[in-house]
Amino acid sequence: MAFTKKLWENLVEEFSKTYFMHSRFYSSRVDFKKLRPMILKRIQNRAKDYPVKGMVPVAREVLEKRKLLIQGVSTLMEVFPVLACKFCPEVYIGEKGHLIQTCYGYKRCGRKRVHEWIPGGLNDILVPVETFRLHNMFQDVIEHNQRFDFDRVPAVVELCRQAGANIDDENLHPGMLDLDGGIGHIDGGEPFSPSHLMHTAKEILDAWEKLRSGVQRLLLVYPSKVCKHCSEVHIGPSGHKARLCGVFKFESWHGKHFWKKAEVDDLVPPKIVWWRRPQDPPVLVNEGRDFYGHAPAVVDLCTKTGIIVPPKYSCMMKIQGLSAPVSR
């Protein structure tokens, strides 16, 4: 019995030495008033590392491709009609809108109805995403009562500005762009000839891909946030405190956003639309919705000129897919 007791005491002693040697204990008596100046100083020192010189050319390229994309899409929209639903964000590119019952309309209207089509605009293809324009990247968090003290600018433009690119009025206001001098018009050629439209579509796709890839590279360096429950975007290390989230504005937190890391689709929404293939009927019907493909609105608009899209969109567009069976 004595031997067992002695062995047990030795085991407890050895365990205690090992446990306390590799353990770290934190005191709850921390004076955060003393820590606050250290934290603020660390944030100020971190701001000296921005903007990153290696990312300045990327930001400039993103702004240039964004400008060319707006000019090119505006040119193709003069030739190919774009339709938008009157009651929901649905968009369709073609002479006649589809008959697929996906309109959810207003709250008091019935769901899954046929869309009511009206002429669409540039914002239906290139969805605008705006954010607050900060004075500097690591400034104080914007409070709710300060929401009118900061201008609202395109999120991509604000991201490029923080990355070191120079911003002019054309980047802030797309309506000021010179649409006659972009990729939509070539000197010495007919404005809307088939060959010219195909050339324009290729330039648009190239600008679209480089814009998204450039934004993705910038997001790896410059922190950005998006709300989990709405489309609000904030370019900066922490989100603002403006209570603008309409999803839960009547709940106990009164419209506060819940932030998470932003992705490319949050800053450059692809705007997925129904895509009509050659084997599909002239007007897409609701019975064949399982067979039809989808495509980003920019890609769908470019395919109207007859160009071949990149292979990465083939699965989404169901290019080689079966057509819907004909109902008798």
Side-chain angles (χ1 to χ4, degrees):
M1 181 65 67
F3 176 77
T4 304
K5 183 178 180 181
K6 186 65 175 177
L7 179 61
W8 177 254
E9 291 178 354
N10 292 338
L11 290 175
V12 172
E13 182 180 1
E14 186 68 22
F15 174 77
S16 300
K17 290 181 180 180
T18 306
Y19 178 77
F20 290 110
M21 184 181 299
H22 298 283
S23 300
R24 183 178 298 177
F25 296 92
Y26 298 90
S27 175
S28 59
R29 299 178 181 178
V30 178
D31 190 357
F32 289 99
K33 293 183 179 180
K34 295 182 180 180
L35 289 178
R36 180 177 175 81
M38 300 172 57
I39 296 174
L40 294 177
K41 184 177 180 180
R42 185 173 181 179
I43 293 176
Q44 293 176 356
N45 294 334
R46 182 185 177 188
K48 298 178 182 179
D49 300 331
Y50 292 90
V52 180
K53 294 183 178 180
M55 301 304 294
V56 175
V58 179
R60 293 173 179 170
E61 184 185 23
V62 168
L63 285 180
E64 182 64 24
K65 296 304 178 181
R66 177 178 178 270
K67 177 180 177 181
L68 294 177
L69 181 63
I70 294 175
Q71 292 174 338
V73 170
S74 300
T75 300
L76 291 187
M77 289 182 63
E78 297 180 15
V79 182
F80 304 104
V82 176
L83 303 176
C85 182
K86 185 178 180 180
F87 302 109
C88 74
E90 183 79 8
V91 174
Y92 184 75
I93 301 174
E95 294 288 345
K96 297 182 179 180
H98 61 71
L99 300 178
I100 303 175
Q101 300 176 4
T102 54
C103 181
Y104 51 82
Y106 293 120
K107 293 182 179 180
R108 297 182 180 180
C109 299
R111 296 177 179 271
K112 295 183 179 180
R113 303 180 306 154
V114 177
H115 297 276
E116 183 175 341
W117 301 106
I118 58 175
L122 180 63
N123 289 343
D124 296 315
I125 302 295
L126 302 176
V127 181
V129 179
E130 293 187 342
T131 185
F132 286 112
R133 182 174 184 175
L134 305 182
H135 299 314
N136 57 76
M137 184 176 178
F138 293 98
Q139 70 174 41
D140 295 336
V141 179
I142 300 175
E143 300 292 340
H144 180 68
N145 56 359
Q146 298 175 330
R147 62 190 185 279
F148 298 118
D149 299 335
F150 296 85
D151 296 332
R152 299 283 290 182
V153 297
V156 174
V157 175
E158 175 64 14
L159 179 64
C160 295
R161 187 187 69 84
Q162 294 187 14
N166 296 325
I167 306 301
D168 51 23
D169 291 337
E170 290 185 351
N171 298 123
L172 295 176
H173 308 285
M176 300 180 62
L177 291 175
D178 182 14
L179 301 179
D180 294 334
I183 61 178
H185 293 268
I186 303 177
D187 296 336
E190 298 180 5
F192 300 123
S193 62
S195 60
H196 177 223
L197 289 177
M198 293 184 66
H199 173 78
T200 302
K202 292 179 181 178
E203 293 290 335
I204 291 174
L205 278 182
D206 178 72
W208 172 256
E209 297 297 334
K210 290 184 178 180
L211 170 65
R212 290 179 59 84
S213 63
V215 170
Q216 186 174 17
R217 293 174 61 185
L218 291 177
L219 288 178
L220 296 176
V221 180
Y222 295 90
S224 301
K225 304 294 182 180
V226 64
C227 181
K228 294 181 180 180
H229 306 295
C230 69
S231 58
E232 178 71 12
V233 173
H234 182 78
I235 308 300
S238 61
H240 58 76
K241 293 184 178 180
R243 298 189 294 271
L244 303 174
C245 186
V247 178
F248 299 105
K249 62 181 178 180
F250 300 111
E251 299 293 342
S252 59
W253 45 85
H254 303 296
K256 292 183 179 179
H257 295 286
F258 290 81
W259 301 104
K260 66 177 183 178
K261 182 180 178 181
E263 303 294 341
V264 181
D265 289 346
D266 300 317
L267 275 70
V268 189
K271 190 64 176 183
I272 305 300
V273 299
W274 293 95
W275 183 67
R276 179 183 171 274
R277 305 166 299 175
Q279 62 267 35
D280 293 330
V283 178
L284 303 183
V285 295
N286 190 61
E287 289 75 13
R289 57 187 297 178
D290 295 334
F291 295 86
Y292 305 144
H294 295 83
V298 173
V299 177
D300 188 4
L301 183 63
C302 294
T303 58
K304 303 303 181 185
T305 64
I307 66 171
I308 300 177
V309 299
K312 68 177 185 178
Y313 296 108
S314 298
C315 182
M316 178 191 302
M317 299 172 70
K318 301 181 181 180
I319 297 178
Q320 302 297 332
L322 299 175
S323 60
V326 181
S327 58
R328 298 180 179 178

